[in-house]
Amino acid sequence: MRVRRLRKTPAHLEITAFINLIVVLVPFLLSTAVFTRLSVIDLSLPAQSSEKLRDLKENDLKLEIIIRPTVVEVNDQLGGQLMDPIKNDASGPDVRTLSVAILMIKNKFPDKLDATVLAEPNTSYDNLVKVMDAVRAGHVANGTAVVKADFFPNISIGDAPIVQTVAVKP
């Protein structure tokens, strides 16, 4: 007995509805996309505190800036405090005064490029970046023009040392 086979035609894939959706969806997504500009700050970790200091010269500088809730301290890790603490204003660290202080230090040590910024755990990110920007670069008068100059571009960040408070017994 003969077997009859039906001729089957291949089914066509109907994708016109999907293509219409893509044609509408792609321009919509591109028009609503937010294009952001990313900024990258090159940082390094501070050197370990057990570093040998005997090979350092007398006029060497290991600049460290400590961000506290009420003040910004500018210190030399080798020689102690370089200047009086800079009081914070209502918006955070006084970066103008800090810039002037950093410029004076840079004039005294023109070859130094390294600085360490130490922040307490509750320091806001904005305040940390403001201080880092003031330490990294600033504006300097060059004759009659004001030009941008690098102060200490190689910045390391770390945790600020804890301030020991003495409890007074009544």
Side-chain angles (χ1 to χ4, degrees):
M1 174 168 188
R2 274 185 161 184
V3 179
R4 291 184 97 188
R5 294 191 181 196
L6 297 174
R7 290 187 182 184
K8 295 183 181 177
T9 58
H12 293 286
L13 193 56
E14 192 63 36
I15 60 170
T16 55
F18 179 71
I19 291 174
N20 289 338
L21 176 71
I22 295 300
V23 166
V24 172
L25 191 61
V26 167
F28 173 75
L29 291 175
L30 285 175
S31 67
T32 59
V34 177
F35 298 101
T36 59
R37 182 179 151 243
L38 297 177
S39 297
V40 177
I41 300 174
D42 292 328
L43 299 174
S44 60
L45 294 174
Q48 288 192 5
S49 60
S50 63
E51 181 181 337
K52 295 183 180 183
L53 302 176
R54 61 186 162 95
D55 296 334
L56 296 174
K57 300 175 187 171
E58 186 176 312
N59 62 351
D60 208 0
L61 173 72
K62 291 190 80 60
L63 181 66
E64 68 179 13
I65 294 88
I66 303 173
I67 306 170
R68 304 246 185 239
T70 56
V71 295
V72 174
E73 300 173 3
V74 180
N75 297 332
D76 180 4
Q77 194 174 16
L78 304 173
Q81 191 171 6
L82 290 175
M83 58 186 54
D84 292 336
I86 301 168
K87 294 194 183 296
N88 294 348
D89 53 18
S91 64
D94 185 3
V95 291
R96 287 186 181 188
T97 308
L98 179 62
S99 257
V100 170
I102 295 296
L103 177 60
M104 291 186 332
I105 294 169
K106 184 63 178 181
N107 288 337
K108 189 173 179 184
F109 300 97
D111 296 336
K112 291 296 175 186
L113 300 175
D114 299 331
T116 303
V117 176
L118 305 174
E120 289 193 348
N122 58 356
T123 303
S124 73
Y125 179 75
D126 289 338
N127 290 342
L128 179 62
V129 171
K130 285 179 189 176
V131 169
M132 287 171 44
D133 287 342
V135 171
R136 179 180 293 111
H139 296 353
V140 178
N142 187 5
T144 59
V146 176
V147 295
K148 189 170 183 172
D150 285 339
F151 294 152
F152 297 95
N154 300 338
I155 295 180
S156 303
I157 60 171
D159 292 331
I162 298 172
V163 176
Q164 299 292 334
T165 56
V166 178
V168 179
K169 293 182 180 180

